[in-house]
Amino acid sequence: MRAGRLLSITAAVLLAVLASGGGPASAQGEFPPFAQAGLTAHNTYRARHGSPSMILVQDLVTRAQQCAQHYAQKGTIDHSCAFKNNAGENLAMAVGGGNADPVQNVQTATKAWYDEIRNYDFNHPGFSMDSGHFTQLVWKASTRLGIGFASQNNKRVVVALYVQVGNMSPASYFEENVPRPR
């Protein structure tokens, strides 16, 4: 009888852990293909700068998905999503025709964020509206990632959430966290 009760308690604890996201990082197979594609793209670009690889975190993926749905329903992106819960946030929206494939949209958004490198002045590090997506993407201290995608009314939204938050002042933080490409 005791063994059966212990087994029931153990099973209940395991179910609670799985329902809460499986701890800090869940097994890679549990994430949608677009989140996996976003992680791969992020880590490819980050490697160019010597930034550590990121991991997908279930809680961040869930919140990024909620934010993507929020913005798609709203029809605009404006960093107002309450679900981000103080995480760093990169946003992209495509409007009109085009490829509706979530994986392709996430890869395209991540490349566009990285391409802001052309606007970043490594000789005068700091935040700029023209390179903020890039600096968040490669920010060394950001190692946990969530990716969300939603489509509604011919609008496709990609959301990336980051912990630790990037783009923090002073400029010395940018020097430490936004290394030049190798």
Side-chain angles (χ1 to χ4, degrees):
M1 202 66 140
R2 274 190 174 192
R5 181 171 167 82
L6 181 60
L7 184 58
S8 295
I9 291 171
T10 303
V13 169
L14 284 172
L15 283 173
V17 168
L18 290 172
S20 68
S26 297
Q28 294 299 330
E30 297 177 24
F31 296 107
F34 64 80
Q36 293 285 353
L39 175 67
T40 299
H42 273 73
N43 286 337
T44 297
Y45 293 126
R46 290 170 64 85
R48 295 179 184 178
H49 297 265
S51 295
S53 292
M54 301 189 90
I55 59 168
L56 288 173
V57 178
Q58 187 61 58
D59 178 58
L60 286 172
V61 171
T62 299
R63 290 191 281 134
Q65 186 61 37
Q66 291 170 318
C67 286
Q69 291 167 340
H70 165 80
Y71 293 127
Q73 289 170 355
K74 189 174 183 175
T76 187
I77 53 176
D78 59 8
H79 296 284
S80 68
C81 181
F83 299 112
K84 68 182 173 183
N85 196 28
N86 298 317
E89 181 183 50
N90 275 349
L91 304 173
M93 178 182 280
V95 179
N99 192 337
D101 176 48
V103 169
Q104 182 66 42
N105 276 270
V106 168
Q107 290 171 332
T108 299
T110 307
K111 181 183 183 315
W113 297 331
Y114 183 79
D115 286 348
E116 289 181 4
I117 187 174
R118 69 181 169 269
N119 302 320
Y120 189 70
D121 186 351
F122 287 95
N123 294 319
H124 298 95
F127 180 75
S128 165
M129 293 297 285
D130 293 332
S131 60
H133 297 106
F134 159 71
T135 52
Q136 174 61 84
L137 194 153
V138 300
W139 197 265
K140 283 178 112 175
S142 299
T143 57
R144 293 175 285 162
L145 177 66
I147 299 283
F149 173 82
S151 179
Q152 186 171 331
N153 298 328
N154 221 17
K155 294 179 180 169
R156 297 170 308 284
V157 178
V158 177
V159 175
L161 296 181
Y162 304 86
V163 175
Q164 297 293 331
V165 175
N167 292 331
M168 303 297 289
S169 293
S172 63
Y173 289 175
F174 282 82
E175 290 174 29
E176 296 168 21
N177 285 287
V178 184
R180 291 177 186 273
R182 295 176 169 185

